[in-house]
Amino acid sequence: MAATAAQPGPLPPAIRFGSTQTSNLAIPTRTAPAPARLRCHLSHSSDSTPTPTSPALTTSDPDRDPDHESESESEGILRFAFACGGAGAGGRVYSAIALADELHASLPSSRSLILGAPAPSLESSAAAAASYPFAPVPLRCLPGGILAAALHLCRFRPHVLVATGGAPALPACLAALMLRLPFVIQDQDASPAPATRLLAPFARRVFLAFNAPVRLLPKRRCAVYGNPIRMSILKCSASKIEALARFFPRAGLLGEHDAQVVLVLGGAEGSPEINVAVLNVYYEILRSKDRYIIWQTGTETFCEMESLVRGHRRLFLTPFLHELEMAYAASDVVISRAGAMTCTEILATGKPSILIPLPTILDHHQTRNAYIMADIMGAKVITEDELDSSSLTSAVDEIFGDEKLMADMSQKALTAARPNASADIIRHICSLIGSPYPS
């Protein structure tokens, strides 16, 4: 579904929250100072919940305080708010970061705010790492979350809210409805989340990764563009041998095409089931002198795995991969859960994969994702009931033992990838709110 091209021109005229207008929404401006207003505390820290305060304002925004900007400056700055949550799934957070990165790459003067669960949380860490201001939305009760999100939105005055899923997205979208602020949804999975189904009739647009969910949502509000991918992964230009040397400095002695590298991912929090399976087979895999394993265990189980794994010079064990783009560049085969963002990254990097979907995810999202990957690129799918030393070793050996199969899987993945999803989504959102976007 193609986006309507935005027409060049100035940002739309500002309106106030609560106006009956809903189209061409811009930053609300104040014509006269009010004696007292609700203020929101933007913080990178943890437990703070925004509350009404005196006119004094505290903010962690590294840029200037928007309250001190002139009215003309305020009208000329495009503002996006992103609501996401990473509990159990990092894809929702990284989708928001990827979209914010694309927005700022295309429109450097724009500003973004990330709304998410209070720190320590994946979204607060990701926002800090990407240098975006972060606003905590408490999740203990829905009314409190709605109030907090509403106060943050009033303070930041965005043109639009982009919800990429997770627990904070629901109160943020309800707050946007209350404020009559337009919002869009970006759903990453092969089956729409319950919150997406609930909110879709009120969203300006629902951006989807797959065609299948369209039948479950208001069709006129849907646009299928794929999932956003972090720029660091899309723009990684390192060769395989350069990337491999980042993890194994001695690997330069081997030719680039001689090394066979397995990348093990278990999602943002790690997977005990995958960790146990790999623990039982890693030494067997490494019997071949040309094979290497890059293994992300997850932070919670790293110490346990480290104590059980025998050291090996061709094994790289880590709780979390901060340079995931280098891990993809170094690898030949990926063993992973079937989270939507991981599947998207596998397609974009053209990596043959062995997917082990998490069966406890609501609506079996990962199972659907995994079998779609099997259809479009020939990914190997192993259910948790089937997962053992024998099934995992057989899948690895089958892929490495057939160069034609590897090349075919890689080519199909690259053909199915949508590397321009972030740009397409941001362009479409800009057209919805009447803002120009570089051609």
Side-chain angles (χ1 to χ4, degrees), residues 335-407:
I335 298 173
S336 177
R337 287 297 192 191
M341 290 308 297
T342 300
C343 291
T344 301
E345 291 163 0
I346 287 170
L347 293 177
T349 54
K351 299 300 175 181
S353 58
I354 300 167
L355 300 177
I356 306 159
L358 183 64
T360 56
I361 291 291
L362 187 66
D363 284 349
H364 303 286
H365 287 169
Q366 289 206 6
T367 301
R368 291 190 173 101
N369 293 344
Y371 284 108
I372 285 178
M373 291 287 284
D375 288 340
I376 64 178
M377 65 160 287
K380 304 295 180 184
V381 179
I382 303 175
T383 66
E384 277 199 3
D385 291 338
E386 300 167 337
L387 181 61
D388 57 24
S389 304
S390 175
S391 62
L392 190 55
T393 305
S394 296
V396 171
D397 288 342
E398 180 183 355
I399 295 174
F400 277 134
D402 189 336
E403 291 186 6
K404 185 179 181 302
L405 174 63
M406 290 186 69

Side-chain angles (χ1 to χ4, degrees), residues 62-278:
D63 299 321
R64 293 173 298 169
D65 179 354
D67 283 348
H68 295 160
E69 292 170 354
S70 70
E71 186 170 321
S72 60
E73 282 181 310
S74 179
E75 285 189 2
I77 296 174
L78 184 63
R79 300 176 192 266
F80 276 45
F82 296 89
C84 58
R92 298 158 183 153
V93 174
Y94 295 125
S95 286
I97 296 297
L99 290 171
D101 286 347
E102 177 62 37
L103 174 66
H104 286 266
S106 302
L107 300 165
S109 64
S110 61
R111 294 193 180 175
S112 295
L113 172 70
I114 308 295
L115 288 83
S121 63
L122 179 60
E123 51 267 42
S124 64
S125 300
S131 300
Y132 293 124
F134 175 76
V137 177
L139 305 177
R140 291 182 180 178
C141 71
L142 184 59
I146 295 172
L147 175 61
L151 290 172
H152 287 313
L153 293 172
C154 285
R155 161 70 175 82
F156 186 65
R157 298 172 294 152
H159 289 75
V160 65
L161 171 70
V162 182
T164 60
L170 177 60
C173 288
L174 293 176
L177 274 175
M178 183 177 70
L179 297 171
R180 300 188 181 182
L181 169 71
F183 70 90
V184 300
I185 298 169
Q186 198 275 317
D187 194 295
Q188 301 90 36
D189 288 295
S191 177
T196 299
R197 298 187 193 191
L198 173 68
L199 295 166
F202 308 101
R204 291 289 296 275
R205 194 70 78 238
V206 181
F207 297 102
L208 301 169
F210 304 98
N211 290 312
V214 173
R215 62 186 176 82
L216 302 172
L217 300 168
K219 188 174 181 180
R220 291 184 178 180
R221 297 186 184 270
C222 295
V224 182
Y225 283 139
N227 280 323
I229 304 173
R230 285 170 280 179
M231 284 188 176
S232 60
I233 293 174
L234 280 178
K235 297 186 179 298
C236 180
S237 59
S239 68
K240 177 181 173 180
I241 199 64
E242 290 171 341
L244 188 60
R246 187 70 61 93
F247 304 99
F248 306 98
R250 294 183 180 180
L253 300 175
L254 274 176
E256 180 172 348
H257 300 290
D258 294 330
Q260 296 180 334
V261 185
V262 178
L263 173 60
V264 181
L265 303 171
E269 297 181 350
S271 165
E273 293 80 11
I274 291 180
N275 284 340
V276 169
V278 175

Side-chain angles (χ1 to χ4, degrees), residues 274-283 295 305 308-309:
I274 291 180
N275 284 340
V276 169
V278 175
L279 178 65
N280 291 329
V281 302
Y282 79 95
Y283 230 83
W295 181 0
M305 288 297 109
L308 296 172
V309 169

Side-chain angles (χ1 to χ4, degrees), residues 17-32:
F17 286 124
S19 163
T20 55
Q21 297 178 348
T22 57
S23 62
N24 289 346
L25 182 65
I27 304 167
T29 58
R30 295 182 294 275
T31 56

